[in-house]
Amino acid sequence: MCGGSRFLDVGPEYNPGLVSLIPRLICAGGSLSGQLFQAMRQSIIDGASDTAAELAQQALAIGVDPLEAVNQGFAAGITFAGDQFGCGQMFLPDLLASAEAMKAAINILEPEMLKRGSQREALGKIILGTARGDIHDIGKNLVATILSASGFQIFDLGTSVTPEEFVAKAKEVDADIVGISALLTTTMAGQKAVIEALDRNGLRPRVKAIIGGAAVTQKWAAEIGADGYSRNAIDALELAKNLMSKVMNKGTAQA
Amino acid sequence: MRPRIQLLTPELIGRILCEAFELLMSPGVRVGSAPVVELLRSAGVEVNDGVARVPEQLVRNCMASAPRDFNLYNRSGEKAVHYGGDDVHFDPGSCCVQMLDPDTLEARPSETRDLVRLIQVTESLPQFAAQSTAVVCNDAPSAIGDLYRLLVVLQHSHKPVVTGSFSAAGLQGMIDLLAADSGSQDNLRKKPRAVFDVCPSPPLNWSEFGSHNLLELARAGVPAEIVSMPLAGGTAPVTLVGSVTQHAAEVLAGITLHQLAGPGSPVVWGGAPAIFDMRTGGAPMGAVETAMLNMACAEVGKHLGLPTHGYLVATDSKFVDAQAGAESARSAMLGALTGINMISGAGMLESLACHSVEKLVIDAESIASAYRLVRGVETRGATLATAMFAQTGLSGEFLKLKETRAHFRQEQHLPSPVIDRSARGSEPPSDAFTRARARVNELVSQYQKPSFPEDVLRKYQSIVEREADRAGVASALSGD
Ligand code: B1M
C-alpha cells in the first residue's frame, strides 16, 4: 500500500456530499452500498468522526447490515490508515483521528449488532501495561493504538503494573495475549516476573506473553521464555496476528 | 562582546510564566506520594484526589530561597563546575542502555568495560567539565545498576559527576557512596561532587519516584537537576511555546517541592524537552526544534536567575555519520550561545538510547568550536591591525611576528587529529570515524587510574554490599 495516495480511489461517482444524497440514490435504485461503503472508508481515513457517525446512522436507517457496514466500510478505512501509517504516509495525529472516527461509527452500530447477535469478532484480547516501577508509556500507548485500530480488543492497565494485576486481568477477560513493555534495564526484570506469574497461575501456554521496549532484545525474550518480542509497534501487530493464529490452531486442535 | 542568541523576548517570557502559574492552579499538578501531599498541605496547598493546586505566591517564595548559583567540586575538593550566570559546561549524555560497537557497527547492550572507556576518554578531554554515569552496565545486577554505575565512575575519575537514580530505593545508596567519596555527609553537602537528574512525568506529574528523590536530595543538600521532558505534540502542547510553558510549570512545581523540603538546597532549572516524532512517537533529540526548546526553556530559567541545564549534542542517527555530526555540532553551538550552564548529551546516538565513545571525541571537537565561538571576536593590544602592519609593511610576513606566536593559540581553536585539515599526502586519507577510533585508543592508553586510600575502598564495598542485600542480589562487585 506504500507510496499510494492518502485518499482511496473512490471512483468517479464519489461525491463527498453522499450522505445527503442517500435518499435520492435509494429512489433511483443506484448501487448504493458500494458508494456508501466507500464514503465510510473515506470518513475513517479523513478522521472525520461526525461524518462516520452520520454514515453509520444512515446505514441503519436504510437497513444496511451493521456488521457489513463495519467490515466492508469502516474497517477497510482503518486498515488503509494503518498501512499508510506503517509506511510513513500518515502521521500519528491522523491515525488517532481515524481511530476516533472508527469508534464513533462503532458506537452507533453496536446496539444494532447486539440486537442481531452479529457482534464483530475482535482479532483477539490483549492486555497491555508497563512493568512494575516503569513509568515510560509512550511506546506502549503506540502499540495499543495500532493493535486496537487493527481490530484487537485492548485492555490497557497503564504504567507500573504488578505481575498480580496482569494475571488478574488476564483471568478476568480471558485474554489471548499479555504484553509487557519496559524501558528501563531495572524494570525488565518485571517482564520476567509477569511471565513467571502467568506460568504459576497455569495461564500459559494458552495465554501468550509478548514484550518490548528500548533495551529489550531477542536474547532477553528467549531467556525469560516470552512468546514473542518486537522492536516497534508495527512489528507488534504482525507478532500479535501470528500468535493469534497459534492460539486459534491450538483451540481447534484441542476441540 | 560575547555572542549570544535569544529566542524569547522578555515580554514572551512574562506570558510563559504567567500561563505556567495558571497551569499550576488549573489543571494543577499530579503528585504521587503521601509525603509530598503532606508537605504541600502543610504549606497551605490544596490537594484533592492527588492533584495539587499550587499558588503563585508559594512558588515565588520557594524560588527566592533557591540558590542563584552553586559549584560542583572534583575529587580533590576544588571547584570544577560553576552552575550560574552564563557559564557553559558540557558532560557526556547519561544512562544509555546500548553501546555502538566500533568493529561491528552494531548497538549491543552496554557493559562495565564500555563505561570505563567512556570515563577514561572524558577524563582526558578538557571539553568535558564533568563525568556522567554514561551507560548502564548490563553485566552487573540490574537491581543496583544505578549505584554500580556511580561506583565505577568514582573509582575512575577526578571530575564532578552528573548522575541519577532509577528508583526511589536506589537513591540513598548513591548518596552514601558520594558521602564516602567526600569523607562525610557534611563534606558532601558543603562541596558536592555530583548533581542528580530527577524527572517529572509529562504532563504536570511529579510521580512517586520523582518526587521522593527530589525531596530526599533537598534534605541531603545534594544538588538536584530537574529534567523536565515535555514532548511537543505527544505529552505536551504541539507548539514550541506551549511546551516551554508546560516545562516551566513542571520545573516551578519541582522547585517548590524541593525548597519546601530543603530551603536553600541547590536546584537546577534543567530539561530534556523535545518535539514528538509524528511518524514513530520517538523523541528526536537531534531536531533543530528540540534544540530550540532547550534554548527557550533555559532562557526562562535564566530570566528567573536560576542555574540551567539542557540536553543537546545528541543525535537520532544509529551511526557516527554525517547526520550525527551535523545534529550534534549544531546543538552544541546553540546551547553555548544560549549560555546554558550544563549541557548533557555528547556521545549519544539513537535518541538517548545508545552511546559511542568515538562520537564523544568528535563531539568534543564541536564543543571546542562552540567554546571558541562564544569567546567571540576579541581585541588584543592597542590597535587592531596597524601595529602589525607597521612591522611587516607590505611584505606579508605575518608568520614571523611575535604577535602571531603570542596570540594564535587564543585566536584559533587547534583541533585534535580527529579533525582533518591535512594536505593530501602519500597515505590515503581517512574518514572521521577512523580518526576518532585512533584518538580514543590514544586517550585510553594515556589514561591513569586514580589511586584510593584503602579505607575509602572499604567504605564503597560495604555500601555496595548493603545495597545488594537490600535489593536481594549477590554483590561481589568491585567496579574495577
Ligand atoms: C508488549 O509488546 C510490546 C511490543 C513492542 C513494544 C512494547 C511492548 N513497548 C515498546 N515497544 C516498541 O514499540 C514502541 C513503538 O514503536 C517502541 O517503544 P519505545 O518506548 O522504545 O519508543 C517510543 C515510541 C519513544 N521512546 C520513548 O518514549 C522513550 C524515550 C526516552 C528518551 C525516555 C523518555 C521519553 C522519558 N523518560 Co526515560 N527515556 C528514555 C528513552 C530513550 C530511548 N530512546 O528509548 C530512557 C529509557 N529513560 C531512561 C531513564 C534513566 C529515565 N527515564 C525516566 C523518565 C522519563 C520521562 C518521564 C521524562 C519520559 C517518559 C514519558 C512517558 N510518558 O513515557 C526516569 C525513569 C522513571 C521510571 N521509574 O520509569 C529515568 C530513570 C530518569 C531519571 N533519572 O529520573 C534511560 C534508561 C536507563 C535504564 N536504566 O534503562 C533512557 C534510555 C534515556 C537515557 N539515556 O537516560 C518500541 O520499543
Side-chain angles (χ1 to χ4, degrees):
Chain A
M1 268 291 192
C2 283
S5 141
R6 184 182 149 170
F7 298 96
L8 280 177
D9 181 9
V10 288
E13 290 111 314
Y14 175 65
N15 180 336
L18 186 73
V19 176
S20 55
L21 278 181
I22 286 174
R24 263 196 290 152
L25 281 165
I26 297 174
C27 299
S31 157
L32 168 70
S33 47
Q35 282 208 33
L36 179 58
F37 292 153
Q38 275 170 354
M40 286 172 168
R41 268 175 256 168
Q42 191 65 46
S43 71
I44 301 298
I45 294 163
D46 291 344
S49 292
D50 290 350
T51 313
E54 218 170 307
L55 287 166
Q57 238 137 22
Q58 295 282 358
L60 291 181
I62 60 169
V64 172
D65 177 1
L67 189 60
E68 215 167 287
V70 175
N71 287 342
Q72 296 197 38
F74 298 115
I78 203 79
T79 306
F80 182 82
D83 287 344
Q84 291 295 95
F85 174 74
C87 52
Q89 299 276 338
M90 263 173 95
F91 297 88
L92 274 167
D94 305 326
L95 186 67
L96 286 178
S98 294
E100 281 304 307
M102 184 77 186
K103 253 190 236 159
I106 300 278
N107 279 347
I108 306 275
L109 299 174
E110 206 151 43
E112 183 59 24
M113 286 196 275
L114 272 176
K115 239 191 261 163
R116 297 186 183 202
S118 63
Q119 266 295 53
R120 187 176 175 237
E121 278 287 309
L123 283 182
K125 291 182 197 162
I126 304 187
I127 312 236
L128 285 177
T130 69
R132 181 171 46 196
D134 206 318
I135 55 175
H136 296 86
D137 64 357
I138 296 169
K140 184 260 304 163
N141 294 347
L142 203 54
V143 172
T145 304
I146 303 281
L147 291 176
S148 133
S150 309
F152 281 94
Q153 193 176 358
I154 300 298
F155 301 88
D156 188 343
L157 302 184
T159 58
S160 195
V161 182
T162 62
E164 296 72 36
E165 288 165 331
F166 274 109
V167 167
K169 196 70 185 178
K171 283 184 182 164
E172 181 197 322
V173 305
D174 188 21
D176 299 300
I177 298 175
V178 169
I180 319 119
S181 177
L183 268 276
L184 296 169
T185 46
T186 42
T187 55
M188 279 161 60
Q191 297 179 317
K192 187 171 175 217
V194 174
I195 291 181
E196 286 167 354
L198 292 171
D199 281 336
R200 260 200 319 279
N201 283 271
L203 292 175
R204 291 213 311 160
R206 196 187 60 71
V207 178
K208 307 290 174 202
I210 64 172
I211 60 170
V216 170
T217 57
Q218 181 63 57
K219 187 164 161 262
W220 172 246
E223 209 174 306
I224 65 172
D227 297 294
Y229 127 92
S230 81
R231 290 196 74 104
N232 59 50
I234 300 294
D235 292 356
L237 175 60
E238 278 315 299
L239 175 66
K241 282 183 178 164
N242 286 340
L243 285 173
M244 280 314 295
S245 68
K246 286 190 196 163
V247 173
M248 309 292 240
N249 290 342
K250 188 159 309 123
T252 1
Q254 279 165 356
Chain B
M1 182 196 85
R2 175 179 171 151
R4 56 181 68 250
I5 195 166
Q6 183 90 28
L7 297 185
L8 309 175
T9 59
E11 193 232 336
L12 187 52
I13 294 180
R15 283 182 63 192
I16 288 169
L17 286 169
C18 190
E19 286 202 22
F21 284 121
E22 267 180 49
L23 292 179
L24 291 179
M25 288 300 286
S26 172
V29 184
R30 195 168 287 288
V31 283
S33 71
V36 172
V37 172
E38 215 171 284
L39 183 75
L40 286 169
R41 285 206 175 124
S42 66
V45 174
E46 186 193 324
V47 188
N48 289 319
D49 296 330
V51 176
R53 294 177 203 288
V54 193
E56 177 173 345
Q57 196 49 51
L58 176 68
V59 181
R60 289 204 180 271
N61 294 347
C62 287
M63 267 201 296
S65 68
R68 312 280 96 180
D69 71 340
F70 67 92
N71 295 298
L72 292 183
Y73 295 78
N74 64 20
R75 202 171 144 240
S76 315
E78 297 148 353
K79 283 182 194 164
V81 168
H82 175 241
Y83 269 96
D86 283 334
D87 285 3
V88 175
H89 311 277
F90 290 84
D91 73 304
S94 264
C95 280
C96 287
V97 289
Q98 284 161 341
M99 190 78 190
L100 182 76
D101 187 312
D103 290 323
T104 63
L105 296 184
E106 274 172 23
R108 53 162 176 75
S110 46
E111 296 181 355
T112 310
R113 64 189 158 115
D114 300 314
L115 179 55
V116 170
R117 220 168 150 75
L118 284 160
I119 299 168
Q120 290 171 331
V121 167
T122 305
E123 200 66 6
S124 338
L125 291 170
Q127 287 91 334
F128 298 112
Q131 291 278 356
S132 74
T133 36
V135 291
V136 172
C137 303
N138 284 282
D139 50 344
S142 66
I144 54 166
D146 41 10
L147 175 81
Y148 177 76
R149 288 178 315 154
L150 182 60
L151 174 74
V152 175
V153 176
L154 292 181
Q155 295 205 6
H156 288 86
S157 165
H158 271 99
K159 291 187 177 181
V161 194
V162 179
T163 187
S165 124
F166 303 152
S167 66
L171 180 69
Q172 193 55 49
M174 296 177 77
I175 294 180
D176 291 347
L177 206 59
L178 285 163
D181 172 75
S182 301
S184 71
Q185 192 77 43
D186 201 39
N187 286 357
L188 176 63
R189 186 186 277 271
K190 282 189 197 130
K191 291 188 166 185
R193 181 159 169 205
V195 57
F196 280 75
D197 287 351
V198 188
C199 300
S201 276
L204 297 165
N205 179 357
W206 271 99
S207 70
E208 192 164 351
F209 152 71
S211 55
H212 169 274
N213 285 7
L214 199 57
L215 301 195
E216 289 310 308
L217 288 164
R219 290 180 182 130
V222 176
E225 192 155 77
I226 299 180
V227 181
S228 150
M229 189 174 196
L231 300 177
T235 62
V238 70
T239 53
L240 300 188
V241 75
S243 279
V244 174
T245 306
Q246 177 180 317
H247 171 277
E250 288 175 354
V251 181
L252 288 170
I255 292 176
T256 306
L257 294 177
H258 183 268
Q259 292 297 306
L260 283 173
S265 261
V267 62
V268 182
W269 184 276
I275 52 167
F276 187 76
D277 188 276
M278 293 302 176
R279 285 202 170 100
T280 64
M285 298 308 292
V288 73
E289 299 87 349
T290 293
M292 291 165 76
L293 282 168
N294 279 269
M295 295 157 76
C297 289
E299 283 175 33
V300 176
K302 291 170 89 66
H303 173 89
L304 295 169
L306 293 165
T308 52
H309 161 269
Y311 240 97
L312 298 165
V313 209
T315 182
D316 306 307
S317 177
K318 317 290 175 286
F319 297 103
V320 185
D321 58 5
Q323 180 187 340
E327 292 181 340
S328 306
R330 176 172 70 206
S331 66
M333 297 269 176
L334 293 172
L337 287 170
T338 306
I340 302 176
N341 299 147
M342 182 62 80
I343 301 175
S344 305
M348 286 176 136
L349 299 164
E350 232 178 315
S351 317
L352 314 189
C354 183
H355 233 300
S356 159
V357 69
E358 290 73 26
K359 178 172 184 288
L360 193 67
V361 298
I362 296 176
D363 289 345
E365 292 302 329
S366 308
I367 292 169
S369 307
Y371 274 130
R372 174 64 196 91
L373 174 67
V374 168
R375 280 217 326 274
V377 177
E378 296 157 305
T379 53
R380 304 178 197 282
T383 75
L384 308 179
T386 51
M388 284 186 265
F389 270 97
Q391 299 172 65
T392 61
L394 293 176
S395 73
E397 291 182 318
F398 293 100
L399 260 183
K400 286 186 182 163
L401 292 191
K402 66 175 187 328
E403 286 87 343
T404 303
R405 190 154 174 241
H407 299 318
F408 81 94
R409 285 188 177 79
Q410 290 93 55
E411 288 293 316
Q412 303 181 2
H413 159 59
L414 303 171
S416 79
V418 167
I419 300 299
D420 183 8
R421 289 182 182 163
S422 64
R424 199 179 276 272
S426 50
E427 292 289 309
S430 58
D431 64 7
F433 188 67
T434 308
R435 296 191 300 274
R437 290 190 69 175
R439 172 89 169 136
V440 168
N441 289 335
E442 181 197 333
L443 293 175
V444 166
S445 71
Q446 288 164 5
Y447 165 84
Q448 288 192 333
K449 190 174 177 221
S451 61
F452 284 83
E454 269 304 308
D455 64 317
V456 174
L457 291 178
R458 265 199 306 276
K459 271 193 218 157
Y460 285 172
Q461 190 65 31
S462 78
I463 293 165
V464 172
E465 271 165 19
R466 185 194 77 203
E467 289 298 301
D469 277 350
R470 180 191 56 73
V473 292
S475 78
L477 296 174
S478 70
D480 274 338

